[in-house]
Amino acid sequence: MVAKNRKQTGKSPATQTDRDKSPLVSPPGKSNVRRPGRESKAFNSSHSNGLSGIRHKLGLTPSAVAKMGITLLLAALTGYLHWHHLSQLFENDRHFSHLSNLEKEMAFRTEMGLYYSYYKTIIEAPSFLTGLHMVMNDRLTEYPLVINTLKRFNLYPEVVLASWYRIYTGVMGYFGIPTKMCWSINRGEGLTPVDSCEGMGDPAYFYVSCVFLLNGAMMSLFFIYGAYLSGSRLGGVVTTMCFFFNHGESTRVMWTPPLRESFAYPFLVLQMLLLTYILRTRNPSRTAMVALGVSNLCFMLPWQFAQFVLLTQVASLFASYILGYLAASKMQSILVTHMITLGVCFILMFGNSMLLTSFYASSLVSIWVIIALRHRFAQVFRPGIVIWVMQGLAWVGSTVLLKFMLSTILCASDDAHISGLIKSKFTSYKDFHTLMYTCAAEFDFIELETPLRYLKTLLLPINMLVVALIAGRTVQDIVRFLRDGGQTADADEAAGSESAGKGELVYHSLQLVAFTVLAVLIMRLKLFLTPHMCIMASLVCSKQLFGWIGEKSKHQIVVFALMAIMAVQGVANLQAQWAIIGEFSNLPQEELLDWIQENTLPDSVFAGAMPTMASVKLSTGRPIVNHPHYEDAGLRERTKLVYSMYSRMSGETVKRNLMKLGVDFFVLEDSWCTRRTRPGCSMPEIWDIEDPQNVGKIPLCTHMSRNSRPHFTTVFSNDIYKVLKIPKATKDLR
């Protein structure tokens, strides 16, 4: 019924640049000096001779060009397949193409709706700069505060997409080219018909299409990454197959396109690919380091949690350095690149203090100092295990000390909840904010079913085998080093091809261990673990690790046999995803939003559950006092005041809390009063930790669901939502 013009890619101009930057082919050690008469040849040559000139300029043999072309072609194919897979799953789940604008906005629940609202603000503003000013001086998100949401919420993806959308629609409008197709949808069941649009001219369609295209490109990078790490295109095939076969454990972008990880993670893949190239190359060029820094920046800007991932990367690299697999000069170059990137990100984020007070920032400084003092360490401590342990202890101690010093000096407490969350994982500690995280399944420990799923697709056994082989060789190196009395060449001299080759494998193994620890502690972070396991699985094609199998043909037969066994459960997993058929509908919330739009003033202030407030702001444009972005200390305290409605406090106390925030209407949801994911995790039980003197009383929300008087007045009610109006007398006391 609708023509979907998705084949306009415009990729050809980037092809040459991609070739210049490709780490897949190492130029042979030949001179690049031009031969006499080359210019005239190029001028008079045919198309094929022009390509030959390019080939000679890059220092590539014909066979290398052919191999690189096949690799890029396969990478593009896997990228296309992943884009199509994501788009189809998203459409099957929500029937997104047939939703009205309001339904599309409601489909972006919780923080997704909050992020999308700023994209909507910019594209609906009179001009791009006006929209940018509005999001940088926002009065709607944390009324009555004026905040720079670009600083607080990592909104650069929305700014970029909004600018692209305005350019796209402007150019298409200038040439009179239609960009979307709209029709009327009869929803049945006595509901009024709605208008639905599909095409790149529809704001929501444009937004999700760009996200899926980016993650399609990510799969192309995965193929290149696997092929480069393993030294075989078959390794790229293994990586992408593992990703598809474990797709539900690898990503959630098909269900939650606007989340920060959807924009950030593809750049982490690029960053790690470039890092692998740098580790493998004896003397990496300045261009490679700049590319690493740019990809690092693109990973950090969209996502506030990027710093924790980069902390694990720096820690893994430092461990590789301590064991002698990474030269001190190269390690310092990587650290300086990270520092410069962090500084640029700090500036672009308008001085966001969470960046400077992070463990990541402190770790960069402490490791750099330790490496700078490496000769002093060598003078004081015996070579071997002693100096390794002392360097590790120095790193941990100085990082923690520097982090808390900076937090104290800068009076930063926005990341205090992270410390509480980590503390709760190892002790019985719990408070209101910690329970708000740990009671959500995605922040709990990893579920036991996850390793079983890895086992069924052979992802876990393959990784265990690969890591065991790398660990075995590493232990042999360590034993040999200790047997020789710690006598070895200087770390800077240890960057030969053999040591560098081992170093990249050691780093990837340590990074896998770090991601495993993160995933075990916080289930949501398995989205880093599973893709990295897919990358590590490519090493079954590595001659360096599995050359003992025999000749190339025998090795390939073994790999194909493994893939065939993986496919048994992997195909079943894909079929289960393809079988998900649904249609988004949320009539109670639609009634709520329509009522707010028609019966309240544009400056009426709302409070309620964080996910609902994001929808209220997005679809009605009303000011709200709390929202789902829980990483700010002030916002956490505001939300705590709002959620006192679900405590056992008196109605008068809660009314005063809402009065402090200047709230006009409170959106009450009975489900938040009764929902209990596990013992101790209902809202009244969470409040019992903070408010022990009222334990045993009936929660206020239960009273409000029966009769909101005398403290509030019910002005709207349906099966799910009840809107309570703050009495006029209370509002006057603001």
Side-chain angles (χ1 to χ4, degrees):
M1 180 165 57
V2 181
K4 299 181 180 179
N5 301 318
R6 292 176 177 168
K7 294 185 179 179
Q8 299 174 2
T9 59
K11 290 184 180 177
S12 55
T15 304
Q16 181 59 41
T17 303
D18 293 341
R19 287 177 178 174
D20 288 339
K21 295 181 179 179
S22 174
L24 281 173
V25 182
S26 300
K30 295 182 180 179
S31 171
N32 287 326
V33 178
R34 293 189 177 188
R35 297 177 181 176
R38 184 171 178 177
E39 292 82 358
S40 60
K41 274 189 177 182
F43 182 78
N44 295 313
S45 65
S46 63
H47 178 67
S48 60
N49 287 336
L51 292 177
S52 177
I54 294 173
R55 174 173 60 79
H56 282 298
K57 185 176 180 180
L58 294 176
L60 303 178
T61 64
S63 61
V65 172
K67 290 179 180 179
M68 185 174 70
I70 294 172
T71 301
L72 295 178
L73 181 63
L74 291 173
L77 176 61
T78 57
Y80 169 79
L81 291 175
H82 193 230
W83 164 78
H84 184 268
H85 182 64
L86 295 174
S87 302
Q88 201 63 43
L89 290 178
F90 184 71
E91 175 64 20
N92 289 349
D93 180 55
R94 305 186 187 184
H95 211 190
F96 198 72
S97 61
H98 286 64
L99 299 181
S100 67
N101 287 335
L102 177 59
E103 288 173 320
K104 288 176 180 176
E105 291 176 356
M106 289 192 300
F108 297 139
R109 295 193 67 256
T110 189
E111 60 186 299
M112 294 188 290
L114 182 70
Y115 298 135
Y116 183 82
S117 70
Y118 302 109
Y119 165 80
K120 179 181 177 182
T121 297
I122 297 175
I123 65 174
E124 291 184 349
S127 68
F128 172 76
L129 291 179
T130 301
L132 187 60
H133 181 269
M134 291 171 68
V135 300
M136 292 176 64
N137 298 271
D138 181 90
R139 296 183 63 92
L140 301 180
T141 307
E142 293 182 10
Y143 179 88
L145 303 178
V146 178
I147 62 173
N148 182 351
T149 58
L150 191 56
K151 171 184 177 181
R152 282 277 300 279
F153 305 143
N154 300 77
L155 294 178
Y156 276 98
E158 280 65 33
V159 172
V160 172
L161 289 184
S163 66
W164 289 356
Y165 177 81
R166 295 183 72 108
I167 292 171
Y168 172 76
T169 53
V171 171
M172 294 296 104
Y174 178 80
F175 289 105
I177 301 175
T179 59
K180 60 183 177 180
M181 181 179 294
C182 300
W183 57 89
S184 181
I185 301 294
N186 185 359
R187 299 189 290 175
E189 300 179 4
L191 301 174
T192 57
V194 295
D195 292 331
S196 178
C197 297
E198 184 181 19
M200 295 297 281
D202 180 72
Y205 193 92
F206 182 92
Y207 186 97
V208 299
S209 295
C210 287
V211 174
F212 294 151
L213 284 170
L214 175 62
N215 282 268
M218 180 202 72
M219 185 55 66
S220 297
L221 285 175
F222 257 112
F223 180 88
I224 296 172
Y225 194 169
Y228 183 70
L229 182 64
S230 64
S232 166
R233 283 189 297 274
L234 189 57
V237 174
V238 170
T239 295
T240 52
M241 285 187 65
C242 286
F243 195 98
F244 275 104
F245 290 162
N246 298 273
H247 199 267
E249 307 295 323
S250 301
T251 182
R252 54 179 182 170
V253 64
M254 58 283 190
W255 317 129
T256 56
L259 288 186
R260 301 300 81 187
E261 67 209 43
S262 302
F263 295 99
Y265 187 73
F267 292 103
L268 177 64
V269 177
L270 175 60
Q271 191 256 18
M272 293 181 69
L273 172 59
L274 291 169
L275 180 61
T276 304
Y277 168 72
I278 290 169
L279 293 177
R280 182 176 293 185
T281 307
R282 182 163 190 170
N283 296 305
S285 65
R286 181 175 297 180
T287 302
M289 303 307 294
V290 171
L292 178 69
V294 172
S295 59
N296 218 12
L297 182 65
C298 292
F299 174 53
M300 292 180 67
L301 277 179
W303 200 18
Q304 67 274 16
F305 288 132
Q307 53 178 293
F308 300 103
V309 178
L310 293 176
L311 172 64
T312 67
Q313 182 179 96
V314 171
S316 301
L317 289 170
F318 184 53
S320 300
Y321 159 77
I322 288 177
L323 294 175
Y325 289 103
L326 182 56
S329 58
K330 185 182 290 186
M331 182 68 191
Q332 286 181 314
S333 297
I334 294 172
L335 289 173
V336 170
T337 302
H338 274 268
M339 290 177 182
I340 294 173
T341 301
L342 181 64
V344 174
C345 189
F346 179 75
I347 294 171
L348 292 177
M349 291 298 293
F350 304 92
N352 191 321
S353 61
M354 278 189 69
L355 293 171
L356 291 188
T357 60
S358 64
F359 283 105
Y360 167 59
S362 300
S363 184
L364 291 176
V365 175
S366 62
I367 293 176
W368 193 90
V369 171
I370 291 171
I371 295 177
L373 297 175
R374 62 188 181 279
H375 297 301
R376 185 66 58 87
F377 273 91
Q379 293 172 359
V380 176
F381 304 106
R382 291 181 57 190
I385 295 178
V386 174
I387 193 172
W388 297 343
V389 172
M390 295 312 298
Q391 285 178 315
L393 291 176
W395 167 63
V396 173
S398 58
T399 297
V400 173
L401 180 62
L402 184 58
K403 183 262 187 294
F404 287 106
M405 282 178 56
L406 288 172
S407 297
T408 302
I409 293 172
L410 298 177
C411 300
S413 59
D414 289 341
D415 60 350
H417 63 300
I418 300 296
S419 301
L421 180 59
I422 296 173
K423 185 178 178 181
S424 70
K425 295 293 182 178
F426 300 101
T427 68
S428 59
Y429 174 81
K430 53 186 174 182
D431 60 21
F432 181 86
H433 301 303
T434 300
L435 288 171
M436 289 295 291
Y437 278 101
T438 57
C439 283
E442 58 266 31
F443 286 95
D444 199 0
F445 290 101
I446 194 169
E447 55 189 358
L448 295 177
E449 290 80 3
T450 299
L452 294 178
R453 298 189 190 107
Y454 294 154
L455 190 63
K456 291 178 180 178
T457 58
L458 294 190
L459 188 61
L460 183 58
I462 289 175
N463 272 261
M464 292 177 67
L465 176 60
V466 168
V467 172
L469 289 173
I470 296 173
R473 295 190 177 192
T474 304
V475 170
Q476 289 177 358
D477 290 341
I478 293 173
V479 171
R480 188 181 305 114
F481 173 80
L482 296 176
R483 188 177 60 240
D484 295 340
Q487 299 299 319
T488 185
D490 183 75
D492 285 321
E493 299 298 325
S497 59
E498 182 179 355
S499 178
K502 290 181 180 179
E504 69 181 68
L505 297 181
V506 171
Y507 157 70
H508 279 87
S509 298
L510 292 171
Q511 186 68 76
L512 179 66
V513 172
F515 283 156
T516 301
V517 173
L518 291 179
V520 168
L521 294 177
I522 301 175
M523 186 182 69
R524 177 181 180 180
L525 299 183
K526 70 180 179 181
L527 301 177
F528 292 108
L529 171 62
T530 313
H532 196 69
M533 291 176 72
C534 297
I535 289 293
M536 293 295 287
S538 70
L539 290 172
V540 298
C541 303
S542 170
K543 293 180 181 178
Q544 185 178 358
L545 286 180
F546 290 89
W548 49 268
I549 291 179
E551 57 188 19
K552 183 177 179 180
S553 59
K554 186 183 296 185
H555 190 180
Q556 290 178 340
I557 291 173
V558 172
V559 173
F560 280 114
L562 284 174
M563 287 194 290
I565 299 173
M566 290 163 52
V568 175
Q569 182 62 41
V571 172
N573 292 344
L574 287 173
Q575 290 175 336
Q577 281 193 319
W578 296 332
I580 298 174
I581 303 294
E583 183 169 3
F584 178 83
S585 179
N586 192 340
L587 293 178
Q589 189 174 88
E590 186 175 340
E591 292 173 357
L592 169 69
L593 297 175
D594 286 340
W595 181 89
I596 292 174
Q597 195 77 26
E598 297 170 2
N599 296 278
T600 64
L601 298 175
D603 60 350
S604 297
V605 183
F606 282 78
M610 291 184 285
T612 305
M613 289 303 98
S615 296
V616 168
K617 179 191 179 300
L618 167 61
S619 299
T620 70
R622 300 301 192 264
I624 58 176
V625 299
N626 64 311
H627 54 77
H629 200 275
Y630 210 60
E631 277 67 52
D632 178 73
L635 187 276
R636 290 197 292 272
E637 294 308 313
R638 292 164 72 90
T639 299
K640 190 174 178 181
L641 288 176
V642 170
Y643 280 20
S644 61
M645 178 67 76
Y646 299 102
S647 72
R648 306 179 197 273
M649 299 178 185
S650 66
E652 188 63 32
T653 301
V654 174
K655 187 167 66 175
R656 284 199 302 268
N657 289 342
L658 297 176
M659 176 189 68
K660 292 177 185 177
L661 298 173
V663 176
D664 293 310
F665 298 95
F666 185 95
V667 180
L668 179 69
E669 300 175 53
D670 288 341
S671 61
W672 279 73
C673 194
T674 58
R675 184 172 54 202
R676 191 183 192 216
T677 55
R678 65 172 184 268
C681 278
S682 68
M683 281 306 304
E685 288 174 319
I686 292 175
W687 264 108
D688 288 343
I689 302 296
E690 294 287 323
D691 185 33
Q693 62 267 29
N694 287 316
V695 173
K697 295 182 180 179
I698 297 176
L700 177 63
C701 51
T702 302
H703 290 300
M704 292 298 103
S705 63
R706 298 168 184 167
N707 184 6
S708 60
R709 292 186 180 277
H711 304 291
F712 308 98
T713 303
T714 302
V715 292
F716 171 84
S717 179
N718 63 19
D719 294 340
I720 304 296
Y721 302 98
K722 179 179 286 189
V723 178
L724 308 180
K725 190 178 190 305
I726 310 301
K728 184 68 174 175
T730 302
K731 184 180 177 182
D732 292 341
L733 291 175
R734 292 186 207 174

